[in-house]
């Protein structure tokens, strides 16, 4: 027996549809139906309460107008309760005229003087009339001898303008009539709800058909798989990825880009200049600065950016973090220099120990003490000189450390006599970065030169800090004054980490972010180079400080990069 043929199509299964079009249509229909039912119920609930309130107010109004008749109180005092009495006759006229279920007039004892059922006249009322007899009006829905009703009770005064309560008037509206009004409104309400449901269903169908064309009739599982693969790919790579649309708004930020740029998920959909507050990083992302491996600074990070335009007018920018690499490279350079300095210091230290040992063997104890005091005093005097003129602890510690390293390399580092920097620095870390880079470059330039020395000057003018670093090195040719502040330019040999020329560009960018600048010139005496940095608003202005005139920038100040937007002051605490 041959096997039955196998069908190429899988058997059709009944259940939840897989296509986006079908699922969206069903969900929209379910939502529209649910909303329609909910709105109808929410409308009926206050309608019932409104009808109840309307019936109670109507009963109260009838009771008030009845109690306002002056002859009613007089009849209540001068006659006895009876089926043919004047009070019963007046109450029945009011009941028939208004369509009320009952109009009951009672005395202060709660005895009825009127009632639709004449046999109940002279009996005590079935509900408590205390509030009305105490002079207060009452609205309520309650059950009595005639069943459930909407009631209004008012006090009956002895005469117009009198405060003497001689009885009360109670009027009831049959509750079944109120319920009938509610039920009569439901068919019309359901007709309107059905019409709204039909219009909503038609709109849902048209929207779902459009969605079907845009999604190429894919299933949710297909779309979910595509998005999952894209998200996994973007967030697993260790490079920052920023996608921009044609208007310069951010379409996509992966996790690494958020970390490198210091942004959150809320940056998506906003312009680059808005989320980054302008600056070189924003210029690179927006395409105003072009090139390969563009160096930029974001917060405390050094980034390399590459930008690739897309067909829709947008672009995709990749960012690589070179902060740790540059830091390791600088540490390697410093370590290499320190090793050389330690070799020299080892010989010098050995000579000092031999000298001290000889003085002790010759029993020249006083000379030995003077020798040790002199050696220790040199370092102590340098520290005291720096801390006396530079009050910021971070910057003072940097200069003391640099002076020690310079001395080990045979370079004299001193602070100029006119230096005075108060402890009011807005961004100490940023200033440490500027001074550290310039001193390191000056140390490399001065090392090995005759009478090697470095002079550091810091001067405060109001809120502005003017920094000058001078070295005794070979100097810089005037035609290269502008080139030394571009990325990658350096006169030194290529280091182990593969790139130089980052220190001065960082100094320049930090100065421009604070609205200042950096310049270079030749020293007037003895050769070498002089770097001048002006940092406006670098100090916190105290009440006792009087602002002098703004400092004049040096003529050799480097002009801002034409590919950059105008510099902006950096936010407080921002460092390169």
């Amino acid at each position: 027996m041959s096997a039955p043929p196998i069908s190429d199509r899988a058997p059709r299964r009944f259940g939840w549809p897989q296509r986006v079009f079908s699922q969206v249509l069903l969900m929209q229909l379910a939502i529209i139906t649910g909303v329609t039912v909910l709105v109808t119920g929410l409308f009926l609930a206050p309608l019932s309460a409104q009808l109840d309130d309307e019936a109670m107010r109507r009963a109260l109004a009838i009771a008030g107008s009845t109690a306002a008749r002056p002859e009613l109180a007089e009849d209540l005092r001068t006659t006895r309760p009876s089926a043919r009495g004047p009070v019963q006759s007046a109450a029945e006229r009011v009941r028939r005229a208004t369509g009320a279920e009952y109009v009951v007039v009672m005395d202060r004892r709660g005895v009825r003087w009127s009632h639709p059922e004449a046999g109940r006249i002279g009996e005590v009322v079935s509900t408590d009339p205390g509030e009305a007899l105490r002079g207060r009006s009452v609205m309520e829905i309650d059950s009595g001898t005639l069943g459930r009703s909407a009631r209004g009770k008012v006090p009956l005064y002895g005469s117009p303008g009198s405060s003497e309560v001689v009885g009360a008037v109670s009027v009831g509206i049959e509750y079944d009539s109120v319920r009938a009004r509610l039920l009569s409104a439901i068919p019309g309400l359901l007709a309107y709800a059905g019409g709204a449901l039909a219009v909503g269903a038609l709109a849902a169908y048209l929207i779902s058909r459009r969605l079907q064309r845009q999604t190429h009739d894919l299933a949710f599982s297909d779309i979910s798989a595509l998005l999952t693969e894209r998200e996994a790919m973007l967030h697993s790579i260790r490079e920052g990825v920023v996608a921009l649309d044609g208007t310069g708004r951010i379409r996509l930020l992966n996790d690494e880009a958020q970390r490198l740029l210091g942004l959150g998920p809320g940056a998506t959909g906003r312009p680059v200049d808005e989320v980054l507050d302008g600056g070189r990083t924003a210029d690179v992302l927006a395409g105003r600065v072009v090139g390969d491996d563009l160096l930029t600074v974001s917060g405390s990070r050094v980034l390399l950016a590459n930008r690739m335009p897309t067909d829709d007018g947008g672009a995709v920018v990749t960012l690589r973090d070179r902060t740790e690499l540059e830091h390791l490279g600088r540490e390697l350079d410093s370590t290499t220099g320190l090793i050389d300095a330690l070799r020299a210091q080892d010989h010098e230290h050995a000579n000092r120990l031999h000298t001290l040992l000889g003085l002790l063997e010759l029993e020249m104890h006083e000379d030995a003490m003077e020798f040790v005091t002199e050696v220790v005093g040199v370092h102590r005097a340098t520290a005291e000189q720096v801390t006396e003129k530079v009050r910021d602890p971070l910057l003072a510690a940097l200069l003391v450390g640099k002076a020690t390293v310079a001395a080990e390399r045979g370079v004299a580092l001193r602070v100029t006599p006119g230096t005075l920097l108060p402890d009011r620095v807005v961004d100490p870390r940023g200033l440490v970065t500027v001074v550290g880079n310039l001193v390191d470059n000056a140390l490399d330039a001065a090392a090995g030169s005759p009478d090697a020395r470095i002079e550091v000057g810091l001067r405060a003018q109001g809120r502005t800090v003017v920094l000058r670093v001078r070295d005794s090195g070979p100097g810089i040719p005037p035609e290269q004054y502008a080139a030394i502040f571009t990325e990658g330019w350096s006169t030194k040999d290529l280091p182990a980490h593969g790139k130089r020329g980052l220190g001065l560009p960082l100094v320049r960018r930090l100065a421009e972010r604070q609205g200042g600048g950096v310049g270079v010139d030749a020293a007037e005496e003895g050769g070498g180079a002089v770097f001048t940095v002006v940092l406006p608003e670098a100090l916190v202005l105290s009440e006792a400080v009087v602002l002098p005139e703004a400092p004049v920038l040096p003529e050799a100040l480097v002009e801002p990069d034409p590919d950059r937007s105008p510099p902006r002051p950096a936010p407080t605490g921002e460092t390169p």
Side-chain angles (χ1 to χ4, degrees):
M1 176 181 288
S2 62
I6 300 176
S7 175
D8 294 337
R9 298 181 60 182
R12 185 175 181 179
R13 296 179 180 179
F14 295 95
W16 188 253
Q18 297 297 318
R19 300 298 177 187
V20 175
F21 160 75
S22 303
Q23 290 192 26
V24 170
L25 179 59
L26 289 178
M27 287 188 291
Q28 286 182 327
L29 291 176
I31 292 173
I32 293 171
T33 303
V35 170
T36 303
V37 172
L38 179 62
V39 170
T40 303
L42 292 177
F43 181 78
L44 287 176
L47 178 61
S48 176
Q50 181 181 358
L51 292 175
D52 291 346
D53 184 71
E54 181 182 342
M56 289 187 294
R57 291 185 181 279
R58 180 185 168 202
L60 187 66
I62 296 173
S65 62
T66 303
R69 298 186 176 189
E71 67 274 10
L72 187 62
E74 183 66 22
D75 293 338
L76 193 66
R77 284 198 296 258
T78 59
T79 63
R80 296 183 62 80
S82 66
R84 298 181 180 277
V87 177
Q88 170 70 359
S89 300
E92 285 299 298
R93 285 196 302 269
V94 173
R95 184 181 68 81
R96 288 190 295 269
T98 59
E101 184 179 14
Y102 65 84
V103 176
V104 174
V105 181
M106 68 194 79
D107 59 13
R108 289 192 58 81
R109 297 173 300 170
V111 176
R112 300 189 185 98
W113 287 60
S114 66
H115 196 276
E117 298 177 0
R120 296 185 180 275
I121 297 176
E123 297 177 358
V124 178
V125 294
S126 60
T127 57
D128 183 19
E131 290 294 324
L133 294 176
R134 284 191 288 270
R136 289 190 285 270
S137 299
V138 178
M139 290 192 310
E140 61 184 358
I141 295 178
D142 202 354
S143 299
T145 57
L146 298 178
R148 193 169 180 81
S149 60
R151 304 181 176 191
K153 299 178 182 179
V154 297
L156 179 61
Y157 294 99
S159 61
S162 174
S163 60
E164 179 189 4
V165 178
V166 298
V169 178
S170 176
V171 176
I173 303 296
E174 186 180 4
Y175 195 71
D176 289 340
S177 64
V178 179
R179 184 178 301 169
R181 290 184 59 191
L182 177 63
L183 295 176
S184 64
I186 292 179
L189 181 61
L190 293 179
Y192 285 115
L197 181 61
V199 173
L202 178 61
Y205 176 77
L206 296 177
I207 293 174
S208 299
R209 289 290 297 176
R210 185 167 182 262
L211 183 62
Q212 182 184 26
R213 293 192 298 270
Q214 291 180 340
T215 58
H216 303 286
D217 201 21
L218 290 174
F220 270 117
S221 58
D222 299 332
I223 298 177
S224 177
L226 291 174
L227 290 176
T228 302
E229 292 171 0
R230 191 195 74 160
E231 291 298 311
M233 181 172 55
L234 286 176
H235 296 293
S236 63
I237 60 176
R238 305 314 302 165
E239 288 190 359
V241 178
V242 183
L244 308 172
D245 61 14
T247 62
R249 294 180 179 272
I250 298 176
R251 283 193 297 205
L252 173 69
L253 275 174
N254 69 345
D255 295 341
E256 185 69 4
Q258 294 179 24
R259 184 183 71 87
L260 296 178
L261 299 177
L263 302 177
T268 305
R270 297 168 59 190
V272 170
D273 292 325
E274 178 182 330
V275 297
L276 295 179
D277 294 329
R280 178 176 173 84
T281 303
D283 294 339
V284 171
L285 295 181
R288 292 187 288 268
V289 178
V290 297
D292 297 330
D293 291 336
L294 295 173
L295 182 70
T296 183
V297 179
S298 177
S300 60
R301 301 186 181 279
V302 180
L303 307 178
L304 281 182
N306 286 280
R307 189 177 189 273
M308 177 64 67
T310 56
D311 295 336
D312 61 353
V316 175
V317 183
T318 58
L319 303 171
R320 284 176 288 168
D321 188 0
R322 292 189 61 90
T323 307
E324 295 182 0
L325 182 60
E326 296 301 327
H327 179 69
L328 291 175
R330 289 176 179 275
E331 286 188 352
L332 181 60
D333 291 344
S334 300
T335 303
T336 303
L338 184 60
I339 291 175
D340 294 338
L342 287 176
R343 291 192 184 122
Q345 188 182 29
D346 180 57
H347 288 86
E348 182 181 357
H349 184 65
N351 292 333
R352 289 173 180 173
L353 288 178
H354 292 157
T355 303
L356 180 60
L357 179 61
L359 291 174
L360 293 176
E361 288 180 350
L362 295 175
E363 297 184 354
M364 301 174 66
H365 300 111
E366 294 183 358
D367 293 337
M369 291 178 60
E370 291 179 359
F371 178 74
V372 172
T373 302
E374 179 182 358
V375 172
V376 175
V378 171
H379 297 284
R380 182 179 303 169
T382 301
E384 291 178 352
Q385 178 188 17
V386 171
T387 55
E388 180 181 356
K389 296 180 179 181
V390 180
R391 307 292 173 80
D392 183 80
L394 286 180
L395 194 57
L398 173 71
L399 292 176
V400 171
K402 294 296 183 183
T404 303
V405 174
E408 293 168 353
R409 296 184 61 180
V411 180
L413 188 152
R414 71 183 186 91
V415 178
T416 59
T419 294
L420 182 59
L421 183 69
D423 186 14
R424 293 185 286 106
V425 180
V426 174
D427 183 12
R429 295 182 181 275
L431 191 55
V432 164
T433 299
V434 173
V435 175
N437 279 318
L438 293 180
V439 170
D440 286 342
N441 289 340
L443 183 59
D444 292 338
S449 64
D451 190 20
R453 65 189 184 280
I454 299 173
E455 295 180 357
V456 179
L458 285 162
R459 183 164 49 92
Q461 296 184 356
R463 296 187 61 182
T464 301
V465 171
V466 179
L467 165 67
R468 285 188 173 87
V469 178
R470 175 183 175 182
D471 63 73
S472 61
I476 300 173
E479 62 273 10
Q480 295 182 350
Y481 282 171
I484 63 175
F485 294 99
T486 59
E487 294 88 352
W489 190 94
S490 178
T491 58
K492 306 172 188 177
D493 295 333
L494 194 66
H497 56 284
K499 194 166 186 178
R500 281 196 182 273
L502 294 178
L504 290 179
L506 291 179
V507 172
R508 175 184 181 179
R509 295 223 176 84
L510 180 60
E512 289 179 352
R513 283 189 175 191
Q514 298 188 7
V518 56
V520 63
D521 205 346
E524 296 180 356
E525 297 180 0
V530 179
F531 285 85
T532 303
V533 181
V534 178
L535 300 174
E537 301 183 0
L539 299 178
V540 177
L541 185 62
S542 63
E543 296 181 356
V545 176
V546 179
L547 283 173
E549 295 182 358
V552 179
L553 300 181
E555 294 181 358
L557 195 68
V558 176
E559 295 295 330
D561 192 339
D563 292 332
R564 287 177 44 83
S565 59
R568 303 185 180 186
T572 301
E574 180 178 351
T575 59

